[in-house]
Short mmCIF file of all heavy atoms in Angstrom, two decimals:
data_model
loop_
_atom_site.label_atom_id
_atom_site.label_comp_id
_atom_site.label_asym_id
_atom_site.label_seq_id
_atom_site.Cartn_x
_atom_site.Cartn_y
_atom_site.Cartn_z
N LEU A 556 -70.87 41.33 13.86
CA LEU A 556 -69.95 42.17 14.64
C LEU A 556 -70.47 43.59 14.79
O LEU A 556 -70.22 44.24 15.81
CB LEU A 556 -68.57 42.18 14.00
CG LEU A 556 -67.78 40.87 14.10
CD1 LEU A 556 -66.44 41.01 13.41
CD2 LEU A 556 -67.59 40.47 15.54
N GLY A 557 -71.17 44.09 13.79
CA GLY A 557 -71.73 45.43 13.87
C GLY A 557 -72.77 45.54 14.97
O GLY A 557 -72.81 46.53 15.71
N TYR A 558 -73.62 44.53 15.07
CA TYR A 558 -74.62 44.54 16.14
C TYR A 558 -73.94 44.50 17.51
O TYR A 558 -74.32 45.22 18.43
CB TYR A 558 -75.59 43.37 15.99
CG TYR A 558 -76.72 43.43 16.98
CD1 TYR A 558 -77.84 44.18 16.72
CD2 TYR A 558 -76.64 42.75 18.19
CE1 TYR A 558 -78.88 44.26 17.63
CE2 TYR A 558 -77.66 42.83 19.12
CZ TYR A 558 -78.78 43.58 18.82
OH TYR A 558 -79.79 43.67 19.74
N PHE A 559 -72.92 43.65 17.64
CA PHE A 559 -72.20 43.55 18.92
C PHE A 559 -71.51 44.87 19.24
O PHE A 559 -71.52 45.33 20.39
CB PHE A 559 -71.19 42.41 18.87
CG PHE A 559 -70.43 42.22 20.14
CD1 PHE A 559 -71.07 41.78 21.28
CD2 PHE A 559 -69.07 42.50 20.20
CE1 PHE A 559 -70.36 41.61 22.47
CE2 PHE A 559 -68.37 42.34 21.37
CZ PHE A 559 -69.01 41.90 22.51
N THR A 560 -70.90 45.51 18.24
CA THR A 560 -70.23 46.80 18.45
C THR A 560 -71.24 47.87 18.85
O THR A 560 -70.97 48.68 19.75
CB THR A 560 -69.47 47.22 17.18
OG1 THR A 560 -68.56 46.17 16.83
CG2 THR A 560 -68.71 48.51 17.38
N LEU A 561 -72.40 47.86 18.21
CA LEU A 561 -73.45 48.81 18.58
C LEU A 561 -73.86 48.61 20.04
O LEU A 561 -74.04 49.58 20.79
CB LEU A 561 -74.66 48.64 17.66
CG LEU A 561 -75.88 49.48 17.99
CD1 LEU A 561 -75.59 50.95 17.69
CD2 LEU A 561 -77.09 48.99 17.22
N PHE A 562 -73.99 47.36 20.46
CA PHE A 562 -74.33 47.04 21.84
C PHE A 562 -73.27 47.60 22.80
O PHE A 562 -73.59 48.20 23.82
CB PHE A 562 -74.48 45.53 22.00
CG PHE A 562 -74.75 45.09 23.40
CD1 PHE A 562 -76.00 45.25 23.97
CD2 PHE A 562 -73.76 44.50 24.15
CE1 PHE A 562 -76.26 44.84 25.27
CE2 PHE A 562 -74.00 44.09 25.44
CZ PHE A 562 -75.25 44.27 26.01
N LEU A 563 -71.99 47.39 22.45
CA LEU A 563 -70.91 47.88 23.32
C LEU A 563 -70.87 49.41 23.37
O LEU A 563 -70.67 49.99 24.44
CB LEU A 563 -69.56 47.35 22.84
CG LEU A 563 -69.31 45.85 23.02
CD1 LEU A 563 -67.95 45.48 22.48
CD2 LEU A 563 -69.44 45.46 24.48
N VAL A 564 -71.06 50.05 22.22
CA VAL A 564 -71.03 51.52 22.19
C VAL A 564 -72.18 52.09 23.00
O VAL A 564 -72.01 53.04 23.78
CB VAL A 564 -71.04 52.02 20.73
CG1 VAL A 564 -71.32 53.51 20.65
CG2 VAL A 564 -69.72 51.69 20.06
N LEU A 565 -73.36 51.51 22.85
CA LEU A 565 -74.50 51.98 23.63
C LEU A 565 -74.28 51.75 25.12
O LEU A 565 -74.67 52.57 25.95
CB LEU A 565 -75.79 51.30 23.18
CG LEU A 565 -76.37 51.77 21.85
CD1 LEU A 565 -77.57 50.91 21.46
CD2 LEU A 565 -76.78 53.23 21.93
N SER A 566 -73.64 50.64 25.47
CA SER A 566 -73.37 50.37 26.88
C SER A 566 -72.41 51.39 27.47
O SER A 566 -72.56 51.79 28.63
CB SER A 566 -72.78 48.97 27.05
OG SER A 566 -73.71 48.00 26.65
N ALA A 567 -71.45 51.83 26.68
CA ALA A 567 -70.45 52.77 27.18
C ALA A 567 -70.94 54.21 27.13
O ALA A 567 -70.67 54.98 28.06
CB ALA A 567 -69.16 52.63 26.38
N LEU A 568 -71.63 54.57 26.07
CA LEU A 568 -71.97 55.98 25.86
C LEU A 568 -73.39 56.35 26.28
O LEU A 568 -73.68 57.54 26.45
CB LEU A 568 -71.76 56.35 24.40
CG LEU A 568 -70.33 56.19 23.87
CD1 LEU A 568 -70.26 56.56 22.41
CD2 LEU A 568 -69.35 57.02 24.70
N ALA A 569 -74.28 55.39 26.40
CA ALA A 569 -75.67 55.69 26.76
C ALA A 569 -76.14 54.77 27.87
O ALA A 569 -77.06 53.96 27.69
CB ALA A 569 -76.55 55.55 25.53
N PRO A 570 -75.55 54.88 29.06
CA PRO A 570 -75.96 53.98 30.14
C PRO A 570 -77.40 54.23 30.60
O PRO A 570 -78.08 53.29 31.02
CB PRO A 570 -74.96 54.24 31.25
CG PRO A 570 -74.36 55.56 30.94
CD PRO A 570 -74.46 55.74 29.47
#
Side-chain angles (χ1 to χ4, degrees):
L556 289 179
Y558 186 85
F559 181 68
T560 304
L561 176 70
F562 177 75
L563 290 179
V564 167
L565 286 174
S566 296
L568 300 179

